[in-house]
Every structure is written in C-alpha cells, then in structure tokens.
Amino acid sequence: MRTLGLSSLLLLLAACQPGAGSQKTPGSNTEEDACAVSPAACDEDGDGYKPSQGDCDDSDSSVNPAQVETCNGRDDNCDGQVDEDVGTVWYKDYDQDGFGDPDSAQTACEQPEGYVSSNTDCDDAQPRAFPGLEESCDGIDNNCDGTVDEGVTTTWYADADSDGYGDPASGSEACEAPSGYVLDNTDCDDSSAKSYPGNPEICDTLDNDCNGRVDEGVQTTYWADVDKDTYGDSGSPQLGCALPTGYAYNDDDCNDANAAVSPAATELCNGIDDDCDGGVDETDAADALVWYADNDGDTYGDLASPVTACFQPAGYVADATDCDDARAATYPGATEYCNGIDDDCDGTTDEPDAVDASTWYADGDTDTFGDAATSIHACTSPAGYVADATDCDDRDATSFPGGTEVCDGADNDCDGVIDNHPVDGNTYYADADSDGFGDEGSTVSECSLPAGYVENTYDCNDADAGEPAVADAYRGSASGSGTLTDPYASIQDAVDDAFECVLVYQGTYAESVDLGGKDLDVWGLDGSEFTTIDPGLTTCSSANPTDCKAAVEINSGSGAAAHFHGFTIQGGTGSVSSTTSSETCADSSVSHTGTSTCTVTTYTYCGGGVHVDGDDPTFDDLIIYANTLPVTEQASTGSFTQAWLYSYGGGLCVVDGNVTADDVWVINNYADAGGGVYLGASSTLSYEHGIIGENDASDGAGLMASDATVATTDAVIACNEATTDGGGIFLEAASTLSVVNVSFFENLSASSGSARGSEVWAPSTASVSIVNSIAEGDFANALFYGAAAATLQYNNAYNADSTGYTYGGVWAPGAGSISSGSNFTRSTCDGNAYNDDWTLKSTSKSINTGNPAAGYYDADGSKNDMGAYGGPGSVWP
C-alpha cells in the first residue's frame, strides 16, 4: 500500500480548509469541487473516516482505523498490517502422529499442510511416541510422560542353583529375562538345588521345603533308656535321624530307674504301677482280692456286686451274705418284721415270729368284725380272720358294732342292749309330766313302748300335767277333771280350765264355745270330719231376736292369738248385739196409725259359725258349715215398738280382728251381708287352700269386706248366690283385695238384671288385684265389675252367655288374660260342696298360661297354671 508523505498530507489538509483554493461562486458546489481537487479530503465510503484521517480504503466502509482486525486477508484497521495477531498457531508434525513439534510454530488463518494445532509431541521423529499412547516395553517414552517403559517391565530373580526358584534378594527389571534369571523369588537357599518350596523334606540338615524349618517331620524321636529295659523315659526325648546310644524307640517306661517296671511287667499289689498302664494296684493285680458291695452300710455284702481290688474299697466288705443290700435293716440275723421283706435273710418273708405280727380274730359270719375268743398271729390277715375283735355274736352277720338296730331280738349294734333305738321301730314321745300326752320335740324309736313315753304328740307343755285340758264327748263328764283318763264332756269346760291348749276327741259337741280371750290352741284331734261343734240353735227372727249365738266366740278384744283347728262348726245363728232408739213411726216401713214415735230396737248378728272381735286367731282344718243368720227384717213387735234385724258373716264374721285361715271350708251358710265371710272395718283376712262355696246373701254371698283387707291364695270361691251384688266377693268403702290363683265358678249376682259382678264387685274406693285366676260362670251379669282401676293380669274370664270376656264398669282384661271355658275336672252347683273337683282338665287353656315370672311357677317347677291349683302353693294340705 502506498503511503502519503507528510508534505502531501499537509497539502491535502490545506486544500480542504475553508477559503483554500478557489472560491465557490454563488450557486456552485464547493465541497464537490474540493473533493475533486483533493480526494483525500473527502469520505467516499461514509464510514466517518477520510483518507486524510487514516482511512486506507475509502471505498470500503468496513475498513477504517476503528475496525477490529479479522482473519480475512485485509488490513481491516488500517495499521499497515494484514491479519496481524488474529490467526491460529500451528505446529509441524514430522512423524504424522497428530501431535506437533513445539519448536516449529507458525501462525496462519488456515491450517498449513503438515501442521497441527497440538504442540505436545515429545519425539516428533517417532510415530510411537505421543501423549495418551499406551506404554510398551520398547525403550521408548510411548506416552510422553518423561519416563521410558514405566510399569511395563518385569522383575527377574537370579537362579544360581538352577532349581527354577530365584533369590528374592537379586531382583532385576527388564523387558525380557536376563540369562540365569527366573520370575520366581521364593528360593530360601539359592546355593543348593535341594532347597526350594515344595521340595519334600528329608533328614539332611537342610530346609528342603523352604518353610523355615530344618528336617521337620522327618526326624525320629528317641527316648532315654537308663535302666536298659528297652522302654524309654517319656520325659527325655531326643530327635535324630538315627537311634542314639542309650536310647529306646518308645517312651512307654513309667519308671526308667527300675528295670522291673515296664509295660511288660506283671502288676502286683505293692503301691507301684508295675505294668505302666497308669494305674497302681488295679483290679488285675496278680495278688488282688475279691470284695462285695455294702450299699446299705450293714457290714454285709451283696454277692451279686463283687469287685477285685488290692485293698478294701470304700462301701465294700469281704462278706457276701446280704440278701437285700438296699436296706440296712436286712441282713443275716436281723430282727424279722411284718413288712413284706426277708429281714433276717433266712429265705422266708413275714413269718409268724415277726416281732410286729398281728393278732387276727375269726370272722365266722363275714361281717368284718371278729370273735375275740378265736385268734391267731400272722403278719397278714388269714382267710376268714379280721383285725377287729368286737363282734358280739360271730354267728349273726346282722350283729356288729355300729350295726343298724332293728326289731329282731338281736343286739344288732353290739351295745349290750337288744332292740334299743331300732330304725324300724315305732316313734314314741316323751311324757315327762305323765299326763298321757307326748312332747313332739322329744322322741325315741323303739320296738315297744318304753316307760315314760306315749304314742301321741298332743302335749303343749310336758312340764305341766294340767296341760292340755281334755274334752271327750263320749268318755267325758260334767264333773271330769279334764285329764286323759277323766276328761270333760264339754269343750267349754276344757277351755275354761286350760291356759295353753285344749284337746278335743271326736264326737258332736252340742254347745257354743267361748275362748274367753285366751291364747289357746284348741285342737280337734281326729280332724274336722269327725269332730263337730253344733249348738243346734233355732234361727232368730223378730219373734226371738235374743236367742242367737255364734257357735264359736273369739271376742275378747285384746288381740288374743288363739289357734283353732280340726273342727266342723255348724248350727250357729250369730253373736247378737242391740241398740234401742225412738224414731218417728212414719220413718219405719211398718206404720202405726195415730202414733208419732216408735221405740225401735236394732239387732245386729255377726258370725253364725265363728265370731271374731278384736282378736287375731289362726284357723286350719275347719269346716264352717250350715250356719244361718236372720234375714234382714223390719217388723212390729207390739204397740209402738219395732224390731230391725241385720246380719253379717253367716260362716265367719270378723270385727276389727286379724284372721289367718288355711284349709278352711266355708260352705252352705247364710247372712244378709257376707253369706260365707264378713270382714268389718280395720279387719284383715289371709285365706288360702280353702273353699268358700254354696253360701247365700244379699251382697257378697261368698265374702264381703267393708273397709277391710283380704288376701286369698290358692282357693276356690264357687256357687255362692247374692240377690243383689257380688256373688263371690263384695267390697265396700276403702277395702283392699288381693286374689292370686283363685278359681271362681258360677257365683251369682242378680241386681234387677244389671251387670254387677257375679264373681267380684268393687266400688271406686276399693283397691283390687286379681292375678292368675279363673272366673267361669254361665250368667249374663259381668263376672268382674268395678268402678275404679285395678290390677288384672293373666286371668281366664269366661262367660258363655256373654260369649267371652265379661268385665263391667271400668274394668277390662289385663296383660296375659284369656277367655276360655270348661276348665275344671268336675264342677256343679248342687248345694253339695263335697262332690266337686277343682283341678284343671288336661284340655284346660289355663294350664301354663299364668304369669310367666319364676316367682309364680307351680310347685313342680313348671310355668304357672291359673286357678286354685297353680303357683308355688298349689299343693293343698
């Protein structure tokens, strides 16, 4: 490239200055004219640089002093050099292995031929030397790491004795084995071809197998033989390749100082191990003795357990006569016992001379009890003999101590008394007061009546000969003393005489009886069917109003607790009381013309059979039968006088008393109110196992309670007829009734045809509970009638005329109730209460249909039956 000199440049700059050269005339282009005159003063390529400013190519805008030199064959930055400092350095590769010689650099924009970019070749004359090439054992630095054949040479070891094993101390590195060298370096002696690893060891004082030991395992052990018996001393070994003088081939001598001691010697009992077998004076010693085991320490040995020994072993003896060496008490001459052992070793066991032999007694009758008069001695019971000697009769097997005494004329229990307290004897009762009556709590069983005893249990106080007082309708008399042998003829006399009890023998007693407030036990001994109280009274009326009495009076008013049982009570007309008042005659049903006032006497009759007032008696086994009280009547008894008659409780009337009745029949009685039973205010009645039947009344033919409490269980109320209400039971005022397992049958109430409770009638003021009961009757009136709520559960109420349930008032069937008729085995209302059977037919729907709770179960444990024979108390006396 041509360059401008300084003078030229100055000239150019001057030409470009304003005013320089010719002046532009108006309208002429002076810049163009200047460029035409001096091109260096103009920027032809428009790159901001004029030739006068260093643009070396004003025709190319990419060439000017501000450009960066690039590798393009031009002077881009106008510095006078082309492609300076922008080319690549290349190196000559003489051996053409891809790696160049660092000393042959050349810079160029393009790779010159024979040049490469790498300058890491360590030998550019050797194509097998360049970085990264694997080193080979060839005397060249193949990988150019500065080391020749590193890691590829082999260590070789000198083998001077030519046994194929090299000396580890003579290693030499080489690519190939030098002469006289081998790869192995395990020779332990390179001067001897007899020593190398694996060579068999031989006895030659060399380490043939190179294991560090000489002649190991190939030398022979020899032992010193001082006593010259050809047996060596194990404590003096010597290794060698041949037998030394004074040595033996074995070490079996146990005493090398004694030629008489060796494995070949004979063992003797001398305290020496003669035969060197490790044992001294053992059992095979030529002069050893035989000993026998004495395990039980009795100094007698067991012949079956011998041992041979030089000296007596512990637990052994020279004797061999013991017959049982496990038992110290057994040996010849020992004491014989009854123990199943031959104690004295005489060959016989438990012989009769044994010190503890027993005495046995003949048992001829085989009852296990022996006869003291016939005995023998033996260790065990001989046949027909026993240890016992207490038999009182060895001919009778039923007689022995503790035997059961029976009435047979023999002393069965061997107590020295014949037939005393026999099990099959009769029971007799103590009669301590000798009144002929026995104490039920003091008994004996004998074959015949013993002194001081009787056959009855009638005494209520066996310490008082005056109790009981006795009445006997057949043997008694008015002048009797009330004893068994001299009884009263009258019950009343006996009652008057007694303090605790009265005994009444069978018969009919034509009297009424008044207990007089005593807590007596009055007992009809032969029962109600054979003992009758019948005062035989005529029924009272307005014509004879004061001639009436109750058959039995219990009316002290003091709360006496008498017990009355075993009687039929009949023929009573009622205990009578009266009051007198003046009333307007017109108030009476019987008028008295012209008279303004009348004298009115009111007679009240209570209890034809039994009258209770203020006492608390207990009744059982009673039949209260055919007692008739006056019919309610209002009648004139004279001028200006009238009599009014009222009657209560034809069979039983209780006024302010508490009565317990069990097995009491109240039948065929009459009263205006309560034909069978009447309870007055504050009275209570507990009634079970009885029949109230065939009674008549206006209200409550069977039973009437007025402000009283009645609890009846397992009972029959049947065939009672009321002309108004409550054929079976009639309640009034605040009475309480509890009925459990009761059979009601055909009780009649007829109140002008209205349904008024033929079985039970109760007002709203009463409290009623009826459970597990049967009501069956062919009447149109309601069986149960009540005006207030009641507990009615598990009942069978059946009325054929009304087709099913028959409840009146506000009452209705309760839980578990049914309606089914024909329940009883035999039931008739014919005036005779004795010809009925109130047990249930097998087809009755009342069986097992009562309250399911276990507390109501029948006596046999089955589910409760309804009716009188159901429930726990279904078993009647």
Side-chain angles (χ1 to χ4, degrees):
M1 172 181 295
R2 286 175 48 184
T3 60
L4 296 176
L6 178 60
S7 58
S8 299
L9 179 58
L10 292 174
L11 181 59
L12 176 61
L13 292 171
C16 291
Q17 292 295 318
S22 60
Q23 296 294 317
K24 291 181 68 175
T25 59
S28 66
N29 190 341
T30 58
E31 186 175 347
E32 290 179 359
D33 291 342
C35 287
V37 174
S38 181
C42 299
D43 182 11
E44 293 292 336
D45 55 12
D47 60 4
Y49 288 87
K50 303 174 182 180
S52 61
Q53 294 173 325
D55 193 345
C56 57
D57 187 356
D58 201 33
S59 65
D60 187 347
S61 63
S62 65
V63 177
N64 55 65
Q67 293 297 320
V68 176
E69 192 73 21
T70 62
C71 203
N72 55 11
R74 295 186 306 175
D75 181 10
D76 300 286
N77 57 4
C78 293
D79 65 352
Q81 300 179 63
V82 177
D83 295 338
E84 77 279 3
D85 299 325
V86 295
T88 300
V89 180
W90 304 93
Y91 301 90
K92 183 65 176 181
D93 181 14
Y94 295 102
D95 56 9
Q96 298 184 358
D97 58 5
F99 295 86
D101 181 2
D103 296 329
S104 59
Q106 179 180 337
T107 302
C109 288
E110 294 183 4
Q111 182 177 6
E113 184 178 355
Y115 280 79
V116 294
S117 61
S118 171
N119 68 343
T120 59
D121 203 339
C122 58
D123 186 355
D124 202 38
Q126 175 55 262
R128 289 195 298 155
F130 54 81
L133 180 63
E134 184 177 354
E135 193 72 21
S136 300
C137 198
D138 55 3
I140 299 172
D141 183 9
N142 303 96
N143 57 8
C144 288
D145 63 353
T147 305
V148 177
D149 293 342
E150 77 279 2
V152 293
T153 59
T154 301
T155 304
W156 304 91
Y157 300 91
D159 181 16
D161 56 8
S162 302
D163 58 5
Y165 294 86
D167 180 2
S170 61
S172 176
E173 296 291 325
C175 290
E176 294 181 359
S179 177
Y181 280 76
V182 293
L183 286 171
D184 182 275
N185 69 343
T186 61
D187 203 339
C188 58
D189 186 356
D190 202 37
S191 64
S192 174
K194 292 182 179 181
S195 295
Y196 55 85
N199 189 33
E201 192 75 22
I202 60 176
C203 202
D204 59 358
T205 70
L206 296 175
D207 183 8
N208 304 101
D209 55 6
C210 286
N211 66 353
R213 295 176 292 171
V214 176
D215 293 342
E216 79 281 358
V218 294
Q219 289 181 311
T220 300
T221 301
Y222 303 97
W223 290 271
D225 180 17
V226 176
D227 59 7
K228 297 180 172 55
D229 57 3
T230 72
Y231 294 91
D233 180 4
S234 62
S236 302
Q238 176 66 53
L239 291 175
C241 293
L243 179 67
T245 300
Y247 280 79
Y249 288 102
N250 63 72
D251 64 347
D252 296 336
D253 206 338
C254 56
N255 187 349
D256 200 37
N258 189 345
V261 176
S262 70
T266 299
E267 186 73 21
L268 298 174
C269 294
N270 55 8
I272 299 173
D273 182 10
D274 301 285
D275 55 5
C276 291
D277 62 355
V280 177
D281 298 339
E282 56 262 53
T283 58
D284 62 350
D287 55 349
L289 302 174
V290 179
W291 305 90
Y292 302 92
D294 180 19
N295 293 314
D296 56 9
D298 60 2
T299 73
Y300 293 86
D302 181 5
L303 180 64
S305 302
V307 297
T308 302
C310 288
F311 305 100
Q312 181 177 2
Y316 282 78
V317 294
D319 180 88
T321 61
D322 204 340
C323 58
D324 186 352
D325 200 39
R327 190 171 185 272
T330 298
Y331 54 84
T335 300
E336 188 73 17
Y337 289 93
C338 293
N339 53 12
I341 299 170
D342 181 11
D343 301 285
D344 56 7
C345 292
D346 64 355
T348 304
T349 300
D350 295 346
E351 50 264 54
D353 64 349
V355 295
D356 58 345
S358 299
T359 302
W360 304 91
Y361 302 91
D363 180 17
D365 55 9
T366 66
D367 59 2
T368 73
F369 295 86
D371 181 4
T374 306
S375 65
I376 60 174
H377 289 276
C379 283
T380 58
S381 172
Y385 283 77
V386 294
D388 181 270
T390 61
D391 205 342
C392 57
D393 187 349
D394 202 38
R395 299 164 299 172
D396 183 358
T398 67
S399 295
F400 52 84
T404 301
E405 194 73 23
V406 296
C407 294
D408 62 355
D411 183 9
N412 304 106
D413 55 5
C414 287
D415 66 350
V417 183
I418 295 173
D419 292 345
N420 61 316
H421 309 304
V423 296
D424 61 343
N426 299 314
T427 300
Y428 297 101
Y429 304 90
D431 181 16
D433 56 8
S434 301
D435 61 0
F437 300 107
D439 179 2
E440 186 176 14
S442 178
T443 66
V444 294
S445 177
E446 300 291 349
C447 295
S448 58
L449 181 64
Y453 285 81
V454 294
E455 297 179 86
N456 65 73
T457 59
Y458 303 156
D459 210 334
C460 57
N461 184 346
D462 202 35
D464 184 353
E467 298 290 337
V470 182
D472 190 329
Y474 299 108
R475 298 184 299 111
S477 66
S479 60
S481 60
T483 64
L484 176 62
T485 56
D486 186 22
Y488 294 115
S490 164
I491 298 174
Q492 188 63 55
D493 288 343
V495 167
D496 293 342
D497 189 29
F499 291 96
E500 295 183 54
C501 56
V502 173
L503 297 182
V504 180
Y505 284 90
Q506 65 177 302
T508 297
Y509 294 82
E511 59 180 317
S512 59
V513 177
D514 188 344
L515 298 191
K518 294 182 177 180
D519 286 330
L520 292 177
D521 184 343
V522 182
W523 186 6
L525 297 179
D526 299 297
S528 59
E529 295 183 38
F530 301 97
T531 311
T532 302
I533 298 175
D534 185 358
L537 299 173
T538 300
T539 302
C540 291
S541 67
S542 57
N544 59 336
T546 61
D547 293 340
C548 294
K549 288 185 179 180
V552 176
E553 287 281 2
I554 307 175
N555 63 351
S556 70
S558 61
H563 188 184
F564 208 81
H565 52 121
F567 296 93
T568 292
I569 301 173
Q570 65 186 39
T573 55
S575 180
V576 61
S577 61
S578 63
T579 60
T580 301
S581 63
S582 295
E583 300 180 19
T584 300
C585 293
D587 292 340
S588 304
S589 61
V590 180
S591 62
H592 296 269
T593 302
T595 302
S596 60
T597 59
C598 287
T599 299
V600 179
T601 304
T602 301
Y603 297 93
T604 301
Y605 302 87
C606 184
V610 180
H611 174 223
V612 177
D613 189 353
D615 290 336
D616 304 323
T618 297
F619 300 140
D620 62 79
D621 187 23
L622 295 182
I623 300 174
I624 303 176
Y625 169 74
N627 297 281
T628 303
L629 271 61
V631 176
T632 297
E633 181 182 7
Q634 292 178 321
S636 172
T637 57
S639 297
F640 311 115
T641 60
Q642 294 177 358
W644 292 8
L645 279 62
Y646 299 94
S647 59
Y648 302 89
L652 169 66
C653 181
V654 182
V655 180
D656 193 21
N658 302 295
V659 174
T660 300
D662 190 351
D663 190 27
V664 175
W665 287 30
V666 182
I667 55 178
N668 296 99
N669 300 284
Y670 171 79
D672 180 62
V677 178
Y678 177 84
L679 299 175
S682 302
S683 297
T684 66
L685 171 64
S686 174
Y687 184 84
E688 61 182 341
H689 304 129
I691 297 175
I692 299 176
E694 304 285 355
N695 300 289
D696 298 304
S698 295
D699 289 313
L703 181 148
M704 178 176 175
S706 179
D707 209 14
T709 299
V710 179
T712 178
T713 304
D714 298 292
V716 176
I717 300 177
C719 305
N720 299 288
E721 184 173 346
T723 57
T724 52
D725 296 323
I729 296 176
F730 179 86
L731 304 178
E732 65 179 7
S735 291
T736 299
L737 173 65
S738 173
V739 174
V740 179
N741 285 104
V742 172
S743 294
F744 294 94
F745 180 78
E746 291 194 3
N747 295 292
L748 175 64
S749 66
S751 180
S752 302
S754 62
R756 297 301 297 269
S758 60
E759 309 297 357
V760 175
W761 187 94
S764 61
T765 53
S767 174
V768 178
S769 173
I770 303 175
V771 180
N772 296 332
S773 297
I774 301 171
E776 181 178 334
D778 294 329
F779 299 99
N781 295 341
L783 301 180
F784 294 137
Y785 180 89
T791 300
L792 303 174
Q793 293 181 336
Y794 298 96
N795 299 307
N796 183 359
Y798 179 76
N799 189 329
D801 287 351
S802 298
T803 314
Y805 289 108
T806 52
Y807 293 81
V810 299
W811 287 2
S817 293
I818 62 174
S819 180
S820 176
S822 191
N823 292 283
F824 306 112
T825 300
R826 185 174 62 252
S827 54
T828 60
C829 291
D830 57 1
N832 182 4
Y834 295 98
N835 61 357
D836 297 314
D837 184 349
W838 301 104
T839 57
L840 299 179
K841 294 179 180 179
S842 60
T843 57
S844 171
K845 301 299 184 182
S846 298
I847 295 174
N848 294 336
T849 55
N851 193 306
Y856 290 99
Y857 276 15
D858 296 344
D860 62 4
S862 64
K863 188 177 177 182
N864 179 239
D865 295 340
M866 297 176 179
Y869 288 90
S874 62
V875 180
W876 285 28

